[in-house]
Amino acid sequence: MGYFDAASAVPLHPVAHQALLASLDEGWADPARLHREGRKARMLLDAAREAAAEAVGCRADEVVFTTSGTRAVHTGVAGASAGRRRVGRHLIVSAVEHSSVLHSAEAFEEDGGTVTRVPVDRAGRVDPSGYAAALRPDTALACLQSANHEVGTVQPVAEVAEVCRAAGVPLLVDAAQSLGWGPVEGAWSLLAASAHKWGGPSGTGLLVVRKGVRFAARGPVDERESGRAPGFENIPAIVAAVASLRAVRAEAAQEAARLRELTERIRTRVPQLVPDVEVVGDAERRLPGIVTFSCLYVDGEALLHELDRAGFSVSSGSSCTSSTLTPSHVLRAMGVLSEGNVRVSLPMGTAEEDVERFLELLPGVVAGVREKLGAPAAPATAVREEELVVDSLGKRCPIPVIELAKVIGQVPVGGRVRVLSDDEAARLDIPAWCEMRGQEYVGEEPAERGTAYLVRRVS
């Protein structure tokens, strides 16, 4: 089996497994108690905190263990913004943050705050100047991921942190995807991460709050974890999480080089093997194991099911796999093709032969899905009318784009196709199709039902 979904979660690392079993016998007691059993538990917890601090590059008393990476983000955003409430109620995030950050931003808005969402380029990368322009006198906090979870693009955290530091604004970094590969550079103020991303137990996260950062914990608090993560610490899980972090860090440099070669192989060969594919994400500033591409005329859910049947576990940001029928907010912010989207994220230790088998299998799988959907094998050439109307109302991706591709050859060069659609994905996928196929996307206009997307044939 080829498990290629490491960006979501990876199996428990052998070192984590051993540490978990060992600490179950020693770390069950209350570390706040002074008796023998409590002292043993406290020693394990303190040692884990010291090791985590070393891996992150901070002080031990700045580390808080939480019940998940999501909880770390929510606690960090709420606490830092509340701590600076006198400064103002303005929050800055990037448009491609993990949902945990965006959900925190939504809650911040519902509580009366304002949020600026900094756009990204077509590779999914923010420009530090975007954060500089977004800063205001009432900015309480800025957030930026260290690397994107869907396309692998590494963000300029150090540059953004310097911009924020100069303005006196703390920066919270979501380091869930990158911490297993190395510490986050720059003068960031808060950091959140999740153990199941690097082979630790799920339900374990960490939050780092640098000394000097104003922080006011929200909700009920107790004496544990500096009052920032109430509840009894899961010491065996914490010990296992930190042990696995140290273990993967020891392998990181060698594995990064090997996985970069494998993902570059996928980035290069997929467009050669499969027609009408867009590889997305920054080609160079990227995490070692993630590569993402989108296939025209493909139902993302059908593609994932077929790959799963063939023994490959991948994920997708395609609207075709979503119950909301809207494309991934990351792909939408980047302005790239969303239909038939596949994210391959290789875990450490991925065998080269598994990647080769995936590349051998993929063209046939994509062709089979396209054939079932009636995708065009070649563009039509007969010229009939100056403008054609394609009624795709009630049809979901990738059908509107397939129907557009079938008729574009039926208008003369300079002629237009008007695609009627009520599928939100069409707003992203039709312009992306035009860019891939060398046609002109004219724009959109309201229709009696849904939206009319206008495409001019130029070749």
Side-chain angles (χ1 to χ4, degrees):
M1 292 289 291
Y3 179 76
F4 289 176
D5 194 20
S8 296
V10 296
L12 197 65
H13 194 284
V15 169
H17 187 266
Q18 295 171 5
L20 182 65
L21 293 179
S23 56
L24 283 171
D25 292 332
E26 298 291 335
W28 53 268
D30 186 347
R33 298 293 173 251
L34 299 179
H35 46 60
R36 180 183 300 104
E37 292 80 7
R39 294 197 303 273
K40 288 182 179 179
R42 169 58 64 180
M43 290 176 61
L44 287 174
L45 184 59
D46 288 347
R49 202 181 308 276
E50 290 281 353
E54 181 182 0
V56 171
C58 65
R59 294 170 39 154
D61 58 359
E62 295 172 335
V63 176
V64 173
F65 293 111
T66 65
T67 53
S68 69
T70 295
R71 174 51 59 192
V73 166
H74 291 174
T75 301
V77 172
S81 57
R84 287 172 49 83
R85 194 180 184 99
R86 290 186 179 181
V87 173
R89 298 285 288 147
H90 177 235
L91 174 67
I92 303 172
V93 302
S94 85
V96 294
E97 294 297 314
H98 187 269
S99 59
S100 60
V101 175
L102 299 183
H103 291 159
S104 286
E106 291 168 2
F108 186 80
E109 285 180 308
E110 291 171 0
D111 193 37
T114 59
V115 178
T116 298
R117 295 166 176 84
V118 178
V120 296
D121 61 20
R122 197 170 174 83
R125 195 170 189 266
V126 302
D127 190 320
S129 64
Y131 273 75
L135 287 166
R136 304 186 331 203
D138 63 339
T139 301
L141 177 68
C143 302
L144 178 63
Q145 59 191 192
S146 55
N148 187 259
H149 51 292
E150 289 194 26
V151 300
T153 297
V154 172
Q155 301 292 358
V157 170
E159 292 93 326
V160 171
E162 182 57 30
V163 167
C164 292
R165 186 201 62 77
V169 174
L171 176 68
L172 183 150
V173 178
D174 172 14
Q177 290 296 333
S178 72
L179 194 60
W181 296 107
V184 178
E185 302 297 331
W188 48 266
S189 303
L190 302 97
L191 179 144
S194 187
H196 72 274
K197 302 290 187 180
W198 64 68
S202 58
T204 309
L206 62 85
L207 171 66
V208 177
V209 182
R210 295 280 200 190
K211 291 297 180 184
V213 175
R214 292 185 178 275
F215 193 96
R218 310 300 289 166
V221 299
D222 61 25
E223 70 280 4
R224 299 180 188 278
E225 296 300 308
S226 305
R228 294 170 179 170
F232 200 101
E233 297 95 340
N234 185 345
I235 295 177
I238 290 170
V239 170
V242 177
S244 60
L245 179 58
R246 297 184 66 179
V248 298
R249 281 287 190 83
E251 309 162 359
Q254 184 175 354
E255 267 299 283
R258 197 179 70 85
L259 291 184
R260 284 189 189 281
E261 192 281 326
L262 292 178
T263 52
E264 184 59 30
R265 191 180 307 184
I266 296 172
R267 287 181 62 87
T268 301
R269 289 179 56 187
V270 166
Q272 297 171 350
L273 296 168
V274 182
D276 298 318
V277 164
E278 181 179 18
V279 181
V280 301
D282 198 294
E284 296 180 0
R285 296 182 292 257
R286 56 184 306 101
L287 289 174
I290 298 180
V291 56
T292 306
F293 55 89
S294 300
C295 308
L296 275 175
Y297 321 131
V298 168
D299 179 329
E301 185 171 1
L303 181 57
L304 263 61
H305 282 320
E306 290 300 319
L307 288 171
D308 184 53
R309 289 177 58 188
F312 290 97
S313 303
V314 298
S315 64
S316 174
S318 171
S319 60
C320 308
T321 63
S322 170
S323 60
T324 63
L325 297 177
T326 58
S328 148
H329 71 278
V330 172
L331 301 179
R332 188 166 62 244
M334 293 168 62
V336 297
L337 183 69
S338 74
E339 66 184 50
N341 177 260
V342 174
R343 179 187 68 182
V344 174
S345 48
L346 307 178
M348 290 186 175
T350 296
E352 180 181 1
E353 51 266 31
D354 285 341
V355 171
E356 285 298 324
R357 189 164 60 89
F358 175 79
L359 290 170
E360 292 173 6
L361 181 81
L362 183 67
V365 171
V366 173
V369 173
R370 284 174 172 168
E371 183 178 3
K372 290 178 182 178
L373 292 171
T381 56
V383 175
R384 296 177 184 173
E385 302 179 40
E386 290 293 327
E387 179 172 292
L388 286 175
V389 176
V390 173
D391 186 352
S392 292
L393 293 168
K395 301 175 182 178
R396 302 304 176 193
C397 86
I399 302 302
V401 174
I402 289 176
E403 294 185 342
L404 166 62
K406 285 182 175 179
V407 304
I408 190 68
Q410 296 178 19
V411 298
V413 173
R416 301 198 311 181
V417 176
R418 181 185 300 267
V419 183
L420 303 178
S421 177
D422 52 4
D423 180 11
E424 181 64 26
R427 180 168 283 110
L428 184 62
D429 291 344
I430 289 177
W433 179 89
C434 291
E435 182 164 333
M436 293 175 69
R437 302 311 294 266
Q439 308 299 341
E440 179 187 354
Y441 178 65
V442 178
E444 64 177 76
E445 58 186 36
E448 184 175 347
R449 291 174 54 212
T451 303
Y453 300 93
L454 308 179
V455 176
R456 179 179 288 112
R457 182 183 176 191
V458 297
S459 62

